[in-house]
Amino acid sequence: MDRRTIVALPGDGIGALVLKEAIRVLDAAGFDAEYVYGDIGWDFWCKEGNPLPQRTIDLIAKYKIALFGAITSKPKDEAVAELSPELQGKGFNYSSPIVGLRQHFGLDICVRPCHSYKGNPLNFIRRGKDGTPEEPMVDVVIFRQNTEGLYGGVEWSNPPQQVYDALMTHPKFRENFGWCPKEELAVSTRIFTWKYTERIVRAAFEYALKNGYKSVTVCETPNVIRETSGLMWKIAKEMQKKDFPGVQLWNTNIDAQMMWLTKNPEDYGVIVAGNMFGDIVSDAFAGLIGGLGFACSAQFSEDGVGVFEPTHGSAPKYADYKVSIVNPVAMIESACMMLDYINEKNIAARIRKAIADVIEEGRVKTYDMMKLSGRQEVIDMGAASTTEMTDEIIARLK
Ligand code: NAI
Ligand code: MG
């Protein structure tokens, strides 16, 4: 096995804490890698006026694979106020380095698996037909288009005249919004391109086929959002017929999906959706398998850049505890997605088995798994610290 170089992006708050733990697990599992550390996050905004410095972009461009903790983002005004005094008033504008990374590297494919671990006290429970509790095992992988749609950033308040004039050429706009003064209008666009819609749908089908999932569900709203959701549905129908006849294609609307996922989550396999619906539906499924302490994700680009990160943020209120309480599993699982991506599937499988064994045994649990609210005292109440949880996972590695 060749020694790999991985870009480690600790970021802010608990991002740095959980990243450290994930690297400990990777080392213990025998993954031979060197980690080069990249600057990203709030400190670099405050000190340099840029939360994603060019040197970090260069590192990722060079090594292609990054493990990322989490960053802190704040609203515009607060961001400006925290800028160091010598940078104030020089026209620096805060924008999220995560969105920046996605856009710069074209990380258009986002994968968010949600698998229940046996014995996780946070697993979703429902009442069965005869009233007895049932614990459906969720095994869903969400493919979210990561660069377009409602989060594409093409939006205006008081749009420029040309945009307004163009909108007025649409009969629905004229009829339903023509009454509104231009300066009172806010418009956010939802742009889907054929190329990147095709890519996310194909990635979903390929994953389903390779990993034995029986269905791909397009979770959009093509009956209402006819052009964009309609495009994804049309592409999926044609692709299934031509290239993936052995995988079933299902169609759910996002609203109905949010209802069904608590009724029959075990029925779903691979789900594909646009940017915002993919974000929503993946958070909802994550809630069924234990929430933010368990939700991992991967993002890939066309030319092979991969960024692997937990879904959770920097949880600043827990960042400075003397003994860290947060659950490292989401970050460690994200590292496993990285291993899969670079074809170190055996190491990934061993780490996942170790996590599964710790959870099933149930002796060592972080505070979230004990259903406590987060505070330093949880350690005295028997919760495992971030480090103890990681130690236990390492001890179970075979
Ligand atoms: P958050 O995900 O940081 O924390 C929300 C709550 O979830 C925490 O208070 C905690 O109760 C729980 N939680 C999060 N991670 C956990 C873990 N590993 N184990 C156990 N419990 C965990 O979201 P919040 O508080 O809305 O945002 C905090 C900061 O993070 C903000 O500045 C926000 O902009 C940023 N953020 C960054 C993200 C990223 O880097 N990808 C994603 C989401 C938020
Ligand atoms: Mg989200």
Side-chain angles (χ1 to χ4, degrees):
M1 184 175 85
D2 288 346
R3 183 151 224 239
R4 304 286 309 219
T5 302
I6 305 293
V7 180
L9 305 171
D12 302 306
I14 66 161
L17 297 173
V18 292
L19 179 66
K20 196 173 89 197
E21 301 297 20
I23 291 176
R24 242 171 17 98
V25 175
L26 289 168
D27 286 344
F31 176 55
D32 186 19
E34 180 192 352
Y35 297 90
V36 293
Y37 283 80
D39 297 334
I40 189 167
W42 199 250
D43 282 352
F44 303 96
W45 160 251
C46 297
K47 284 190 295 207
E48 304 175 23
N50 184 0
L52 177 60
Q54 183 61 39
R55 57 185 181 278
T56 305
I57 290 179
D58 295 343
L59 268 187
I60 300 169
K62 181 165 178 199
Y63 297 111
K64 306 262 189 208
I65 305 293
L67 262 184
F68 178 24
I71 52 99
T72 297
S73 270
K74 295 184 192 178
K76 254 192 204 163
D77 307 352
E78 279 177 57
V80 168
E82 290 189 35
L83 206 50
S84 71
E86 67 276 14
L87 298 178
Q88 302 250 357
K90 297 211 168 125
F92 289 100
N93 276 317
Y94 182 79
S95 66
S96 158
I98 297 184
V99 177
L101 270 183
R102 278 179 203 154
Q103 285 170 346
H104 183 88
F105 289 105
L107 301 167
D108 64 314
I109 294 185
C110 173
V111 187
R112 292 182 169 179
C114 295
H115 309 294
S116 320
Y117 278 110
K118 210 169 157 197
N120 187 348
L122 298 173
N123 283 347
F124 171 64
I125 309 260
R126 75 178 165 220
R127 214 171 273 287
K129 275 194 188 120
D130 57 359
T132 53
E134 292 174 347
E135 188 175 326
M137 285 289 133
V138 178
D139 181 8
V140 166
V141 183
I142 292 109
F143 280 72
R144 162 192 178 193
Q145 207 298 326
N146 213 25
T147 44
E148 305 191 329
L150 258 178
Y151 298 165
V154 182
E155 48 185 0
W156 302 269
S157 292
N158 187 13
Q161 194 62 44
Q162 310 94 295
V163 173
Y164 184 79
D165 292 343
L167 288 169
M168 280 299 256
T169 64
H170 196 294
K172 285 247 166 72
F173 184 86
R174 233 176 12 247
E175 213 176 288
N176 298 327
F177 304 101
W179 59 267
C180 179
K182 191 168 82 66
E183 44 296 343
E184 290 178 17
L185 266 182
V187 180
S188 301
T189 64
R190 188 176 199 263
I191 299 172
F192 282 32
T193 62
W194 189 90
K195 176 178 173 178
Y196 290 104
T197 308
E198 208 267 350
R199 262 176 61 77
I200 192 76
V201 174
R202 187 168 296 282
F205 271 115
E206 276 171 356
Y207 187 92
L209 189 65
K210 218 172 170 177
N211 296 282
Y213 288 91
K214 68 171 195 254
S215 66
V216 167
T217 301
V218 173
C219 179
E220 279 286 325
T221 308
N223 54 332
V224 182
I225 317 178
R226 290 171 188 277
E227 301 307 325
T228 45
S229 291
L231 177 70
M232 183 174 282
W233 178 236
K234 180 172 175 294
I235 288 172
K237 265 194 310 196
E238 286 169 8
M239 191 184 293
Q240 189 259 353
K241 219 156 131 199
K242 186 159 162 277
D243 300 332
F244 302 95
V247 181
Q248 295 173 32
L249 173 63
W250 299 355
N251 177 18
T252 56
N253 289 351
I254 177 73
D255 50 347
Q257 179 72 74
M258 297 305 287
M259 178 187 67
W260 283 327
L261 65 78
T262 54
K263 290 186 115 172
N264 54 345
E266 69 273 44
D267 288 355
Y268 296 96
V270 173
I271 292 183
V272 60
N275 208 338
M276 187 191 210
F277 294 168
D279 198 11
I280 294 172
V281 81
S282 60
D283 271 18
F285 270 104
L288 304 179
I289 60 127
L292 288 172
F294 292 88
C296 55
S297 84
Q299 317 174 62
F300 322 121
S301 75
E302 241 175 316
D303 54 0
V305 174
V307 177
F308 303 84
E309 57 166 325
T311 307
H312 65 72
S314 62
K317 61 183 180 197
Y318 305 147
D320 299 320
Y321 282 8
K322 225 166 85 200
V323 180
S324 168
I325 64 165
V326 293
N327 189 344
V329 167
M331 181 78 235
I332 298 169
E333 280 271 357
S334 304
C336 290
M337 294 186 80
M338 174 192 77
L339 292 172
D340 284 342
Y341 187 70
I342 59 177
N343 251 322
E344 296 287 359
K345 294 197 165 64
N346 283 338
I347 304 180
R350 283 169 49 229
I351 296 175
R352 289 195 178 106
K353 174 78 170 78
I355 298 173
D357 287 349
V358 171
I359 294 174
E360 188 169 1
E361 195 196 63
R363 197 173 47 82
V364 178
K365 295 195 279 270
T366 43
Y367 84 94
D368 51 331
M369 297 171 72
M370 294 174 70
K371 307 191 186 202
L372 298 171
S373 57
R375 53 192 192 281
Q376 185 67 92
E377 293 74 45
V378 297
I379 300 293
D380 303 326
M381 298 160 84
S385 69
T386 310
T387 313
E388 284 166 342
M389 187 68 179
T390 311
D391 287 343
E392 191 65 16
I393 291 167
I394 290 172
R396 294 311 180 91
L397 277 170
K398 293 197 178 100

